[in-house]
Amino acid sequence: MADYADLRALFINCTLKRSPERSNTQGLIDLSARIMEKSGVQVFQIRAVDHDIATGVWPDMTEHGWAVDEWPVLQRRVMDADILVLAGPIWLGDNSSVMKRVIERLYGNSSILNGRGQYAYYGRVGGCLITGNEDGVKHCAMNILYSLQHLGYTIPPQADAGWIGEAGPGPSYLDPGSGGPDNDFTNRNTTFMT
């Protein structure tokens, strides 16, 4: 097996649930993170909703009227990672509001260039994981992956995976009887994404 100990991956969980509340998205992140760790990748995680991330598209929103903005510290963690995986739930057929905020804040740093005049995110790889109880995995993935490539991330083939239960009210990914953690299709695609 190849050794990727020189790589660092960052998962940003865009659930609406604060820690320590159980996040179904975290269940899918855990599966992907275990696969990466088995190959030696150093894995780091952020649950975005646990941080005071100001709304806006500038690198530091305290310079634009916000009293507090933890994004500049989180952005340094993004820049330390070779691999960025954005993960979140589907709400009303679309990405969560937390996912939208994280993407906007990533965008706020897109004008920063590296030493060779390329996008600061150039040379990094992006992917996404989606969970939910309604249709929209591919729609959400398209939005996230387009956004990441627009910012300079490389998006490899099959850079998305997701799990949705039966449409409507029903069990979520980690709920007993959901079949989520044992779903062959989801596990295969999560392995491909990873």
Side-chain angles (χ1 to χ4, degrees):
M1 179 176 246
D3 180 26
Y4 297 103
D6 60 332
L7 294 178
R8 297 166 58 98
L10 176 64
F11 288 83
I12 301 181
N13 185 344
C14 296
T15 180
L16 301 181
K17 299 172 183 171
R18 287 182 163 264
S19 295
E21 190 174 351
R22 185 175 82 165
S23 161
N24 291 288
T25 300
Q26 187 64 51
L28 203 51
I29 289 171
D30 291 343
L31 173 60
S32 181
R34 281 192 304 270
I35 294 168
M36 285 192 194
E37 289 169 341
K38 277 177 54 176
S39 294
V41 176
Q42 300 172 63
V43 174
F44 303 90
Q45 297 185 30
I46 295 170
R47 190 180 286 204
V49 76
D50 289 343
H51 299 275
D52 196 350
I53 301 171
T55 301
V57 292
W58 296 102
D60 184 348
M61 291 306 299
T62 63
E63 298 171 2
H64 297 273
W66 287 81
V68 177
D69 185 11
E70 290 184 44
W71 185 257
V73 172
L74 300 177
Q75 178 67 25
R76 285 193 287 279
R77 294 182 66 187
V78 168
M79 297 308 292
D80 287 342
D82 304 293
I83 302 164
L84 177 64
V85 179
L86 300 180
I90 299 169
W91 289 108
L92 298 171
D94 209 342
N95 286 300
S96 73
S97 58
V98 176
M99 178 70 76
K100 296 289 191 176
R101 181 171 293 188
V102 166
I103 290 171
E104 287 170 347
R105 296 312 303 276
L106 289 166
Y107 178 74
N109 288 274
S110 66
S111 63
I112 299 169
L113 303 178
N114 66 22
R116 291 176 284 187
Q118 301 159 318
Y119 290 117
Y121 301 118
Y122 185 83
R124 292 171 170 79
V125 175
C128 66
L129 298 168
I130 309 294
T131 59
N133 289 90
E134 54 190 275
D135 197 11
V137 171
K138 291 189 182 345
H139 167 77
C140 291
M142 286 187 312
N143 180 275
I144 294 166
L145 297 176
Y146 169 81
S147 297
L148 289 175
Q149 69 80 32
H150 185 77
L151 300 176
Y153 279 89
T154 297
I155 307 301
Q158 191 65 49
D160 65 299
W163 182 88
I164 54 171
E166 185 176 333
S172 294
Y173 180 74
L174 292 176
D175 290 346
S178 72
D182 300 317
N183 184 282
D184 289 339
F185 183 79
T186 298
N187 290 336
R188 182 198 73 188
N189 285 354
T190 301
T191 300
F192 289 162
M193 190 290 308
T194 305

